[in-house]
Amino acid sequence: MSFRNVAIIAHVDHGKTTLVDAILRQCRAFADHEQLVDRVMDSMDLERERGITIASKNTAVQYGDVKINIMDTPGHADFGGEVERVLSMVEGALLLVDASEGPLPQTRFVLRKAMDAGLKVLVVINKIDRPDARPEEVMSEVYDLFIDLGADDEQIEFPVLYACARDGQASLSLDVEGTDLRPLLDTLVESVPEPPGPTPDDLSQLLVTNLDYDPYVGRLALGRLVGGPMSRNTPATLFTEDGSKRVKIQLLYTWNGLKRTEVDGAEPGDVVALAGIEDITVGDTVAVGSAPEALPRIAVDEPTIGMTITINTSPMSGQEGRFLTARQIQERLQREMLSNVSLRLEPGDTAETFKLFGRGELQLSVLIEQMRREGFEMSVSRPDVRFREVDGQVLEPFEEVTIDTPDTTVGAITQHMAERQGQLLDMVADGSGRTRVVYRVPSRGLIGFRGRLLTDTRGEGIMNTLFDGWDAHAGEVARRSNGSIVADRTGKTTAYALFHLQPRGDLFVGPQVEVYEGMVIGEHNRESDLNVNAVKGKQLTNFRSAGADEKTILAPPRQITLESAMEFIDDDEWIEVTPTKIRLRKRVLASNQRSIVRGAKRKA
């Protein structure tokens, strides 16, 4: 059997998963009685809720006499580790580019990874049915991107297709309307090279690039088979970071559509899963043969953003979650490290504290959200960057940030970027009321900036970031300037108390909400923290007080999500995460044991 292994790479929301849906349907990967859903590859609840791909997944279709293994990858740079390990399994990549938006920061990120891996790249200009589509201009921008990334003569001669993934159509020319995806699949089969065939010796190798779990057979190790064929019930050698040992491949699986099928043997070039090997993890090699050897381990970029995670010590701990102890939190984080090669876990200052490092705020928040849905309770700190010291010089990570904003808000964006040590790289007005600005800014300058951007642009601003390397420490970066409104006693909030607190700032809670001393219930409109009595009730007396006839009208409280909480909190605060609630609190709960003065200006 002939194989083609290809990864679909693109910026966020450029149509990767929708294209996979169309390929699966047209290649009849589903039975007639099966219920089909949109974005079938996005199997996680978080992926469907957010509309993004978080974890890479694989599927396979039969096209003529060729089996095409397809890898759906995340488009967000925070999940770049998923992209990097998937690219080691394929020989080609489909680069999707939106016909209106054109190449964006993550387009550059994933294309650079594909070119570094030496993959054959096919460019698909997607969403050509959009009213604002500009495919010719976007195609020119794609060529510029290839040249900017140092493409050689062979890489610059890439096939180009024009598609509407939603309708399952593709064409080799804008002048010819597509009817199905056969032009895309034919070009893929012709352009993407076959995986290496059997080797003269008897060596068969599999580099583990992903892990899965089956309740019946346990841990599954996924990867592409190279060298010779591999069979079930075969002795093998497992190469880990610490050495090697003899193991046995008990079960072997391949893919047919979205279904994992048990087989007796697999051919080289196919994507397979092995079962029966304990303690196997991403980067390990399983080798079968008389002279087994290990393949090079997967190399990924180092994490740049970290946060502290500890047990929940608030007065409400243990009321909503099932997993509360430091041991349970540590085991869950260590389990995540086995499959996510871009995360790092280090011990904290105490036995109950852990430091988790990742690619960005989104990657960290997704893991915390998954844990809270599983029943964990914990306290989480404000994200901060990871510094590096080279030859006595302190280096910090920098990002290239692209902001698409209305023309009227460019001045506010420029001011905020200046406060965050941002350097303007480019500014282009599209002539229709919007401007795209590109800055190079320290990663710590972007912590908490997304919420400010949405406020300044009334929700119309779009921000995309791309890691741009390490550079010398940029100096002081402006932090949150407003203080917190903090409850000074335990009880249920009252409408009477909250009504009189409204002029002091923006509240996070409504009436009849349980609060405790040290819990942050709002953002003060001044620079200092403010301790308040949020449970005070109205005195019921026969005397009419001044203003007694005023109506108690409360503004809706600001809804706090995990991401907005990570952007808002300061260094002396925690996010209390439980399965049902997101609360903010001071690290020191007692008001008489902490300072309430924040200072004239908070600096990093």
Side-chain angles (χ1 to χ4, degrees), residues 352-370:
E352 297 84 16
T353 303
F354 312 98
K355 292 183 178 179
L356 180 67
F357 296 92
R359 292 285 186 86
E361 294 175 75
L362 179 60
Q363 184 186 27
L364 299 177
S365 68
V366 164
L367 175 56
I368 300 302
E369 180 66 25
Q370 288 175 329

Side-chain angles (χ1 to χ4, degrees), residues 261-282:
T261 306
E262 184 178 340
V263 294
D264 292 328
E267 301 178 35
D270 203 358
V271 175
V272 303
L274 311 177
I277 303 177
E278 296 183 1
D279 301 328
I280 192 170
T281 188
V282 172

Side-chain angles (χ1 to χ4, degrees), residues 487-516:
D488 66 359
R489 67 198 67 193
T490 301
K492 283 189 176 182
T493 57
T494 64
Y496 175 78
L498 297 180
F499 176 73
H500 289 90
L501 290 175
Q502 283 184 144
R504 311 302 296 273
D506 194 5
L507 298 179
F508 302 155
V509 297
Q512 297 302 303
V513 174
E514 287 282 352
V515 298
Y516 53 83

Side-chain angles (χ1 to χ4, degrees), residues 534-554:
V535 303
K536 181 180 180 181
K538 185 176 181 180
Q539 296 297 323
L540 302 179
T541 69
N542 291 329
F543 292 95
R544 185 180 297 271
S545 60
D549 293 331
E550 62 185 356
K551 294 181 179 179
T552 305
I553 301 176
L554 294 178

Side-chain angles (χ1 to χ4, degrees), residues 42-63:
D42 285 346
S43 55
M44 296 170 55
D45 291 340
L46 279 176
E47 291 177 322
R48 291 194 167 276
E49 292 171 12
R50 297 169 182 250
I52 62 173
T53 300
I54 294 173
S56 60
K57 305 173 189 67
N58 60 295
T59 184
V61 296
Q62 192 72 32
Y63 185 66

Side-chain angles (χ1 to χ4, degrees), residues 290-358:
S290 57
E293 297 178 0
L295 292 168
R297 295 187 70 87
I298 299 174
V300 299
D301 293 339
E302 286 295 312
T304 57
I305 300 289
M307 62 171 24
T308 301
I309 300 176
T310 187
I311 58 175
N312 183 12
T313 57
S314 85
M316 295 185 181
S317 65
Q319 298 180 11
E320 299 157 359
R322 294 185 292 124
F323 306 111
L324 316 173
T325 66
R327 179 184 60 80
Q328 292 170 326
I329 295 174
Q330 182 181 27
E331 289 176 353
R332 175 63 179 85
L333 293 174
Q334 289 175 338
R335 193 162 65 246
E336 187 70 22
M337 298 303 109
L338 296 177
S339 59
N340 197 331
V341 294
S342 61
L343 290 175
R344 299 288 186 275
L345 183 65
E346 298 178 1
D349 299 330
T350 65
E352 297 84 16
T353 303
F354 312 98
K355 292 183 178 179
L356 180 67
F357 296 92

Side-chain angles (χ1 to χ4, degrees), residues 369-559:
E369 180 66 25
Q370 288 175 329
M371 292 176 64
R372 72 180 286 252
R373 295 188 181 198
E374 294 168 9
F376 284 85
E377 279 192 19
M378 69 201 88
S379 295
V380 178
S381 75
R382 171 189 173 91
D384 206 352
V385 301
R386 189 173 197 174
F387 294 96
R388 176 187 292 179
E389 186 171 342
V390 178
D391 298 330
Q393 185 181 22
V394 177
L395 305 181
E396 65 172 323
F398 277 73
E399 308 274 344
E400 181 183 296
V401 54
T402 302
I403 302 173
D404 192 332
T405 180
D407 293 342
T408 55
T409 61
V410 172
I413 301 302
T414 303
Q415 179 182 348
H416 289 308
M417 283 287 102
E419 294 173 350
R420 289 166 167 78
Q421 302 294 335
Q423 302 173 3
L424 180 63
L425 302 180
D426 193 17
M427 179 182 295
V428 179
D430 63 5
S432 59
R434 297 187 69 87
T435 300
R436 180 176 294 182
V437 292
V438 182
Y439 279 90
R440 186 173 190 264
V441 60
S443 297
R444 57 194 169 96
L446 294 179
I447 297 175
F449 176 68
R450 193 179 297 271
R452 175 61 61 185
L453 171 69
L454 294 176
T455 300
D456 290 341
T457 63
R458 294 179 175 86
E460 296 185 44
I462 302 173
M463 183 177 83
N464 295 287
T465 61
L466 176 66
F467 178 65
D468 196 43
W470 298 79
D471 210 336
H473 192 275
E476 294 182 346
V477 170
R479 298 279 288 271
R480 180 183 116 205
S481 58
N482 289 5
S484 299
I485 300 176
V486 187
D488 66 359
R489 67 198 67 193
T490 301
K492 283 189 176 182
T493 57
T494 64
Y496 175 78
L498 297 180
F499 176 73
H500 289 90
L501 290 175
Q502 283 184 144
R504 311 302 296 273
D506 194 5
L507 298 179
F508 302 155
V509 297
Q512 297 302 303
V513 174
E514 287 282 352
V515 298
Y516 53 83
E517 182 182 9
M519 180 174 166
V520 177
I521 63 170
E523 181 178 7
H524 194 198
N525 52 21
R526 296 189 179 182
E527 295 171 349
S528 60
D529 291 339
L530 179 67
N531 291 324
V532 299
N533 180 2
V535 303
K536 181 180 180 181
K538 185 176 181 180
Q539 296 297 323
L540 302 179
T541 69
N542 291 329
F543 292 95
R544 185 180 297 271
S545 60
D549 293 331
E550 62 185 356
K551 294 181 179 179
T552 305
I553 301 176
L554 294 178
R558 188 203 298 183
Q559 297 298 317

